[in-house]
Amino acid sequence: MRALLLRDLRLALRAGGGFGLGLAFFLIVVVLVPFSVGPQPELLGRIAAGVLWLAALLACLLSLDRILALDFEDGTLDVLATAPLPLEAALSVKALAHWLTTGLPLVVVAPVLAVLLNLPAAGYGGLVLSLLLGTPALSVIGTFGAALTVGIKRGGLLLSLLVLPLYVPTLIFGAEAARRSADGLDATTPLLMLAGISAGVLALMPFASAAVLRVNLR
Amino acid sequence: MSLWEYANPVKFLRLSERVLPWLWALAVLCLGSGLAWGFFGTPDDYRQGATVKIIYIHVPAALMAINGWFMMLVASLIWLVRRHHVSALAARAAAPVGVTMTLIALITGAVWGQPMWGTWWAWDPRLTSFLILFLFYLGYMALWSAIEDPDTAADLTSVLCLVGSVFAILSRYAVLFWNQGLHQGASLSLDKEKNVADVFYHPLLLCIAGFVMLFLALVLYRTGTEIRVRRTRALRARQGAGV
């Protein structure tokens, strides 16, 4: 498992694009927002939490088809499917690798970009915490979407369509938690819900992902 | 003799051919009389005027949109557990009907909402979850049409339907939570069940029955079409193989 994780991480770091691209996209969205809604600081501060969450989600969405597509093309997935490691575990590792290369950097960079959007000082902790709790769910759900569409040519757009409704609860609770803490309110409830979603998804989703991947590899 | 016998496509077709005319007739009868009664036989609402009559299309369509997804869920489960092809095809056949019902509910809702709340769209929990349901339907249909092999497509869409159902319920609660936090329920408290008086209730029931019949008839008819399409494709493939 560790070998698989290290391999995926190394590939993501060295194969170019994948790792930095998500961050760059995150930056682009955040920079474009003031141009589209106007530069008033108080307006930006009000929408900052939501915009940051949306940008993180889109950046995550952008990198989803890289989770499995390349491995599917060169046959690595077939090897994984026949390996002694259960496919569920392999997919969990792949989701973890995706999170480490996409989700975690977003969490780290988010406070810096929050400055650009004039997020109220009280909101930083809540923003980081909500992203930390929520982005794993995005990666795991995304792995399911990637497994679902891996056999389809140019499945990227379809992948977005399939995954988007599944992302709705995570986005709602994540953005709500960030917004509440930015407004100085108690954000415990949405954070707990977010943690619940992540935990539930982590526990159950790999089975669904493995099931659809087996069908696709048949 | 059990229900499972109708998992055989031939038997299913024979049964559906016998049942379909009755279903169509019942649908037309219920819908025709229900709508006529609703539109011409009931008084205008004292608060909402004549616009209240959209209820006769809006509520049944919304009901069937949700039940359509539920039917797909059941059919998907039957496919995953017992692998009856008719079941998978029925799920596939139900999706376009369901998405149409969702669209009808959304559009009539907008038309109704405009004079009532002064807006075509509000980010109200109920409306928003319907929009999400609409997206689910679109994704489901897109996945069906994106995959060549019918059995693979049936497997994948079945799992998607299961996962989607869980998330649909989750979204429902998430959306409720989300909006209550923002601005408490708009004017949507004019809930159907609570407010509708008997005058409106009886034609509404008739319309709902009509929509159920219509839904069943459409799904049965479309399932038959899917079976025939698949049979034609099999015949073609055999011919193409150059026997």
Side-chain angles (χ1 to χ4, degrees), chain B residues 106-127:
Chain B
L106 283 173
I107 291 175
T108 51
V111 171
W112 196 5
Q114 215 289 324
M116 284 308 102
W117 315 331
T119 170
W120 296 100
W121 181 261
W123 288 99
D124 170 271
R126 216 173 268 227
L127 279 65

Side-chain angles (χ1 to χ4, degrees), chain A residues 141 144 147-149 152 158 161-162 164-169 172-173 176 179-180 189-190 193 197 201 205 208 211-212 215-216 218, chain B residues 83 132 135-136 138-140 142-143 146-147 149 151-153 155-157 159-160 163-164 167 170-171 173-175 177-178 181-182:
Chain A
I141 298 170
F144 171 70
L148 208 52
T149 55
I152 302 168
L158 181 63
L161 179 63
L162 292 176
L164 218 53
L166 303 181
Y167 273 179
V168 167
I172 287 176
F173 288 120
E176 180 71 24
R179 186 167 45 229
R180 281 200 186 178
T189 317
M193 297 298 279
I197 291 177
V201 154
M205 212 57 163
V212 291
V215 172
N216 266 329
R218 195 165 55 196
Chain B
R83 305 200 80 78
I132 298 170
L135 285 177
F136 268 128
L138 286 187
Y140 180 86
L143 190 64
I147 301 165
D149 179 53
D151 277 8
T152 310
D155 279 336
L156 294 182
T157 50
V159 179
L160 177 68
V163 173
F167 273 86
L170 197 57
S171 305
Y173 288 103
V175 161
F177 174 90
W178 160 69
L182 255 182

Side-chain angles (χ1 to χ4, degrees), chain B residues 4 7 15 21 41 44 71 92 155 202 204 206-207 230-231:
Chain B
W4 296 113
L15 176 76
D44 290 354
M71 191 221 114
R92 176 176 196 169
D155 279 336
H202 295 302
L204 183 58
L206 209 53
C207 282
R230 188 179 279 200
R231 206 177 276 168

Side-chain angles (χ1 to χ4, degrees), chain A residues 4-31:
Chain A
L4 181 63
L5 178 65
L6 288 176
R7 170 188 168 275
D8 270 15
L9 289 180
R10 220 172 283 141
L11 271 181
L13 287 176
R14 293 193 190 150
F19 182 60
L21 208 61
L23 280 181
F25 187 77
F26 193 41
L27 176 70
I28 289 170
V29 174
V30 169
V31 167

